[in-house]
Amino acid sequence: MAAERGTVTSLPVDMMIRSRNLFIFSLTLLATTVLCRTMVRAAEHAEKLSADPKIAAALRQISAQRIQADIEKLVSFQTRLTLSAQDPESIKAGHGIGAAREWIKGEFESYSRDCGGCLDVKTDGFTEGPVDRIPEPTVITNVYAALKGTDPESANRIVLVTGHYDSRNSNSFDVSGTAPGANDDASGTAVSLECARVLSQLKFPASIIFLTVAGEEQGLNGSSHFAKMAKAQGWDIEAALNNDIVGGNRDPQQDPTVVRVFSEGVPITTTEKDLHLIRNLGGESDSTSRQVARYIAEVGRTYNTGVKPLLEFRLDRYLRGGDHISFNEEGYAAVRFTEFREDFNRQHQNIRTENGIEYGDVAKWVNFDYVANVARLNAAALASLASAPAPPGKVRLQAKDLENNSTITWEASPGNPSYAVMWRATISPEWEHSQVVGKVTHTTLPISKDNVIFAVRAVDSEGHGSLPVVPQPER
Ligand SMILES: [Zn+2]
């Protein structure tokens, strides 16, 4: 034994280092291979919805030319600062936020004429200020169109898409300077408009709201008012999709195949009691907003939209915010779509050239094909959710006895749908497995609840799946 040990330790030092390096290299290679295999396996297993040919056909109607015309029209109002002109003369002259508002309303009304009056076009106006970035009392008006659901049992369920039509330049008080806001956020406004134009040609059991808000740049004022109104009136908004900066600006470092989808982890409305449970169960990544984000990822695998959602497991970009947060604050599930890479020279900037760098959010940097693809992804998510049955209620995981099987119970959704139980490893970002369990309200699976996160979704006879609901423990 001693001789053997001696033989090993008598190896030349450089050889020992080399063999150690080789060992580390082999380990790294092994780890990389395992990691890659795991990633491939996760992608293979990640869940998909069944494609609906009606939805797929509608997505093909979304037009980059229409989106380009919408964005250029919005830019033509010169500024859409919330504090800019909205008197009748300026509206007539096509200048300022008032003119933009009237034009958006007219667009929604024209889509409604094309579908036999199927859209209910409304405004949500209120006076704000003086506050932070609103020095004088100012009328702020959200404009929206509602496509009412055709099923009396589902019409109260709402899915919503929004973008902000206000803009700003370097100075958030500059009421007359040019503020084209082509990317931020005529692009998101165009997504709401184009989704309305195309989806109003179809009928859905649940309702869809196509919203455009003002006041975002002054402090999320429009979306905050709208979300509070929805909450006060008891609206059942299942998902709010906020599109802000989805122009896919044409920089070489941009990735036009990807759009980021931000979602909050632990909800802002979580109570102390719920926090305790989240900590115990490892529920930090299972907010309703995150289920919406995962749903969008499924939609992205189901339909050919031309752009892939990249899930970002955080509320918004680092220390920044947007209109989806107004909905989160009222307890609604909401996510934000934003292009892969923002160009900060072209946001909130006066149009100018300095040291050869062009500043300003003008239309020439916007990739209209990209915006159309983002609109397709939004439309596919809206149409899928509005076609699906309501998610099951009171989903519970039985935890009275210690056992390695898992029993889940739930309350039936209206319309007698089937149900699927989904699960994923606790370390996995997306649902990895789905098992149809039929028209039942309970099931027992031979899988330990200690090792996975479960959810239950309702599925109709055509394969439209609801948002998955993660069970609460029941003892
Ligand atoms: Zn914005």
Side-chain angles (χ1 to χ4, degrees):
M1 287 298 286
E4 273 178 36
R5 207 184 298 132
T7 315
V8 172
T9 49
S10 67
L11 275 172
V13 170
D14 69 324
M15 208 173 142
M16 281 177 67
I17 291 169
R18 252 185 288 142
S19 69
R20 193 196 61 188
N21 284 352
L22 193 69
F23 178 65
I24 290 169
F25 175 73
S26 311
L27 265 188
T28 312
L29 194 70
L30 182 71
T32 311
T33 313
V34 169
L35 188 66
C36 288
R37 283 207 191 119
T38 312
M39 284 169 74
V40 168
R41 225 177 20 234
E44 276 168 5
H45 277 185
E47 286 304 316
K48 242 170 107 168
L49 298 154
S50 329
D52 177 335
K54 292 189 295 294
I55 296 174
L59 301 185
R60 289 193 287 274
Q61 301 302 312
I62 287 176
S63 153
Q65 288 75 33
R66 293 288 304 226
I67 282 172
Q68 177 170 1
D70 290 347
I71 291 173
E72 286 173 351
K73 183 69 188 182
L74 287 161
V75 168
S76 80
F77 301 115
Q78 297 137 62
T79 177
R80 304 184 311 277
L81 187 78
T82 298
L83 314 177
S84 68
Q86 43 182 317
D87 59 284
E89 280 305 298
S90 302
I91 291 172
K92 225 167 106 195
H95 180 268
I97 193 160
R101 174 192 75 210
E102 292 306 310
W103 176 76
I104 291 167
K105 193 160 168 275
E107 285 300 290
F108 281 140
E109 283 162 352
S110 81
Y111 309 153
S112 190
R113 280 194 295 279
D114 292 343
C115 62
C118 75
L119 291 174
D120 199 2
V121 181
K122 288 190 167 174
T123 55
D124 160 37
F126 59 101
T127 302
E128 189 94 300
V131 288
D132 254 11
R133 270 177 272 172
I134 304 176
E136 304 280 328
T138 301
V139 174
I140 296 178
T141 309
N142 303 315
V143 187
Y144 64 103
L147 178 63
K148 200 166 167 33
T150 52
D151 174 0
E153 281 187 310
S154 276
N156 287 341
R157 294 170 43 225
I158 298 166
V159 287
L160 178 149
V161 61
T162 186
H164 71 86
Y165 72 92
D166 65 311
S167 68
R168 58 165 289 188
N169 58 29
S170 304
N171 175 353
S172 60
F173 298 99
D174 179 1
V175 297
S176 55
T178 306
N183 192 350
D184 186 8
D185 182 35
S187 65
T189 305
V191 167
S192 276
L193 286 169
E194 191 62 359
C195 285
R197 188 182 72 82
V198 167
L199 295 183
S200 58
Q201 298 295 317
L202 302 180
K203 300 212 181 312
F204 301 97
S207 298
I208 307 180
I209 289 179
F210 309 94
L211 172 63
T212 67
V213 299
E216 197 272 352
E217 303 289 10
Q218 312 308 116
L220 312 182
N221 310 78
S223 57
S224 177
H225 188 270
F226 190 91
K228 285 191 168 83
M229 172 185 78
K231 177 78 178 295
Q233 297 186 8
W235 294 12
D236 177 13
I237 301 176
E238 269 182 24
L241 314 183
N242 173 33
N243 288 267
D244 194 352
I245 313 174
V246 291
N249 79 73
R250 300 170 185 275
D251 289 301
Q253 287 144 300
Q254 185 63 272
D255 183 350
T257 66
V258 164
V259 62
R260 292 179 290 171
V261 179
F262 291 87
S263 58
E264 69 177 358
V266 177
I268 192 165
T269 50
T270 307
T271 61
E272 270 303 314
K273 193 168 150 252
D274 289 345
L275 261 183
H276 182 76
L277 202 56
I278 286 170
R279 217 178 283 127
N280 270 282
L281 302 179
E284 299 88 349
S285 192
D286 280 289
S287 66
T288 52
S289 298
R290 197 138 293 167
Q291 307 312 344
V292 171
R294 291 189 180 104
Y295 193 94
I296 292 164
E298 280 190 275
V299 165
R301 287 188 286 271
T302 304
Y303 293 97
N304 182 15
T305 62
V307 71
K308 289 290 168 208
L310 173 65
L311 303 194
E312 298 284 5
F313 282 2
R314 58 166 41 135
L315 176 61
D316 202 321
R317 298 141 314 148
Y318 204 80
L319 295 177
R320 296 167 72 203
D323 288 321
H324 57 304
I325 296 173
S326 297
F327 289 90
N328 289 155
E329 283 174 343
E330 301 306 317
Y332 291 120
V335 300
R336 176 191 182 122
F337 291 79
T338 296
E339 64 193 14
F340 177 67
R341 187 179 190 276
E342 293 173 77
D343 186 336
F344 303 107
N345 292 337
R346 303 199 180 107
Q347 278 177 26
H348 306 179
Q349 294 282 351
N350 288 347
I351 302 171
R352 66 194 191 280
T353 303
E354 259 174 38
N355 302 323
I357 298 169
E358 290 182 75
Y359 293 86
D361 190 0
V362 297
K364 74 167 176 179
W365 303 112
V366 174
N367 179 344
F368 304 109
D369 291 321
Y370 177 81
V371 185
N373 288 339
V374 174
R376 285 184 187 101
L377 181 59
N378 273 265
L382 293 167
S384 299
L385 283 169
S387 301
K394 292 217 169 98
V395 184
R396 299 285 182 264
L397 184 49
Q398 300 307 315
K400 210 164 82 184
D401 302 314
L402 289 174
E403 54 174 342
N404 284 307
N405 290 340
S406 298
T407 296
I408 310 173
T409 61
W410 57 89
E411 279 182 1
S413 305
N416 194 26
S418 290
Y419 299 90
V421 175
M422 307 168 81
W423 65 95
R424 64 179 207 271
T426 58
I427 58 164
S428 295
E430 287 197 53
W431 300 113
E432 296 169 311
H433 307 274
S434 178
Q435 189 170 313
V436 176
V437 293
K439 298 184 182 208
V440 295
T441 53
H442 63 92
T443 192
T444 299
L445 295 174
I447 302 165
S448 170
K449 56 188 146 314
D450 300 337
N451 304 338
V452 302
I453 293 169
F454 282 112
V456 183
R457 80 163 14 145
V459 185
D460 75 4
S461 55
E462 292 173 70
H464 301 117
S466 75
L467 284 171
V469 181
V470 172
Q472 297 282 308
E474 186 161 272
R475 278 201 270 227

